[in-house]
Amino acid sequence: MPTEAHPAPDGPPGIDPAKYTKDVNDLAQTHTGRMKPEQEAGVVAELDRARMPPRSQQSLLASLRKGPYGAGAAEMISRGHLRDMEGYNKLLDMCKQGPTKKEPGMVPAAYMAMRLATDLQEHGVGRIGVELDTATFDLDVYTRHPDGAIDYGYQLKDVGNISGINSAVKKAAKQLTHDGISHRVILLDIHQSMTDLTQRMFDEASFQARRMNGAVHLRFADGSIIVPPTRSTFP
C-alpha cells in the first residue's frame, strides 16, 4: 500500500530552520506494490534486449513479483529509457535480489536509483551513470562533466526506520570523500514524518555534510530538508 503523507509540518521541532532548506512537495518514495502480471511482457522484452540469461531473468521476475517496489521497477525497466546508461546492467542485476523475511532486498535501492536517473534525464542532464565502484569511492548515481570527470555523485539509501539515519549517513559519507567528485550528495528516503527527526540526527547529517564537503538530502513522508541550505543537490 502507498505510504500516506502526513500533514505538512513547519519543520523538525527545535531545529533552527536557517540551517536547512525545506520542500513539502519533495517526498520519500512510496510503495508501488508488486509487479502486475500485465507488466511482465514489457520487462522480459527489455531483459532480452539486455541479453540477460533466462535463469537470471526468472530470478528478477520472481523478485519483482514479491517486493513492495516491484511495480515501480517494472515500469521503469519496461520504458527502456535508461537502457543506454552507464552501468545499467548492474542495476538490473540488483533487481534479482528480492526481499526475504529479514532483509528488504535490493529492489528499493535500484528503484530509487532509477527514479533519480529518470529525473536527471528529464531535466536534460546528459552522461548519467549508475553503480560506479572504484578503489576510492562508490556511487549509486552520477553525472559526468564533458571531459569525463564526475560532476554530481550520489549515495542513495532507503531507510526503513528513522533511527537508522545516523548509521546510513556515516556509511554514505565514507563512500563520497574522493577528490574527483565535484558535488557530493547523500539522499536518504525515510518513511516517517520529518517531525520525528531529532537534534542528534540532524547534527550528524550536518557534520557528515561538512566532512565530505557536500550535502545531505533527507526525504520524509511529508517533505524534505537539505543540509546545509547553500549546497546544490541537482545539476
Side-chain angles (χ1 to χ4, degrees):
M1 294 292 291
T3 302
E4 293 185 3
H6 297 260
D10 293 331
I15 297 175
D16 184 357
K19 294 184 177 180
Y20 61 86
T21 55
K22 182 185 68 173
D23 184 349
V24 297
N25 296 310
D26 182 28
L27 309 178
Q29 64 183 10
T30 57
H31 291 174
T32 64
R34 301 177 181 185
M35 180 176 64
K36 300 175 179 64
E38 58 268 26
Q39 292 181 291
E40 293 197 16
V43 173
V44 170
E46 281 300 313
L47 299 183
D48 285 343
R49 183 187 290 269
R51 298 182 178 179
M52 180 178 283
R55 182 173 294 183
S56 294
Q57 289 193 26
Q58 290 306 311
S59 295
L60 187 150
L61 293 171
S63 173
L64 299 190
R65 292 180 191 127
K66 294 191 299 182
Y69 296 101
E75 189 271 332
M76 288 285 182
I77 294 170
S78 298
R79 283 174 59 183
H81 61 299
L82 301 175
R83 69 168 72 110
D84 296 325
M85 187 172 59
E86 293 179 19
Y88 184 57
N89 284 348
K90 294 181 181 179
L91 211 57
L92 293 180
D93 285 338
M94 288 171 61
C95 290
K96 296 187 295 184
Q97 303 177 48
T100 65
K101 291 182 179 180
K102 295 184 178 180
E103 299 293 337
M106 295 302 295
V107 176
Y111 178 56
M112 196 174 176
M114 290 174 184
R115 289 183 63 217
L116 176 57
T118 298
D119 287 344
L120 290 164
Q121 191 181 79
E122 290 178 348
H123 281 79
V125 179
R127 306 204 66 180
I128 306 165
V130 292
E131 295 302 309
L132 180 62
D133 292 315
T134 75
T136 53
F137 58 81
D138 178 4
L139 305 180
D140 294 323
V141 178
Y142 58 92
T143 66
R144 290 190 185 275
H145 290 292
D147 65 1
I150 301 297
D151 185 9
Y152 279 76
Y154 297 87
Q155 257 289 319
L156 314 179
K157 297 191 184 299
D158 190 83
V159 181
N161 189 290
I162 199 167
S163 62
I165 285 180
N166 283 13
S167 60
V169 170
K170 288 178 185 177
K171 181 178 180 181
K174 291 178 181 178
Q175 296 168 308
L176 290 173
T177 53
H178 181 61
D179 289 341
I181 305 170
S182 299
H183 301 87
R184 303 171 184 85
V185 182
I186 296 171
L187 174 57
L188 305 186
D189 275 355
I190 305 118
H191 305 282
Q192 290 173 241
S193 170
M194 69 170 68
T195 58
D196 296 325
L197 186 72
T198 66
Q199 184 71 55
R200 181 172 175 269
M201 296 171 187
F202 180 84
D203 288 345
E204 184 64 40
S206 297
F207 171 75
Q208 295 299 340
R210 291 193 303 272
R211 178 173 175 266
M212 68 175 184
N213 192 27
V216 176
H217 186 169
L218 305 176
R219 292 195 304 208
F220 298 90
D222 49 11
S224 71
I225 65 173
I226 296 173
V227 294
T230 55
R231 287 285 178 179
S232 170
T233 62
F234 206 81

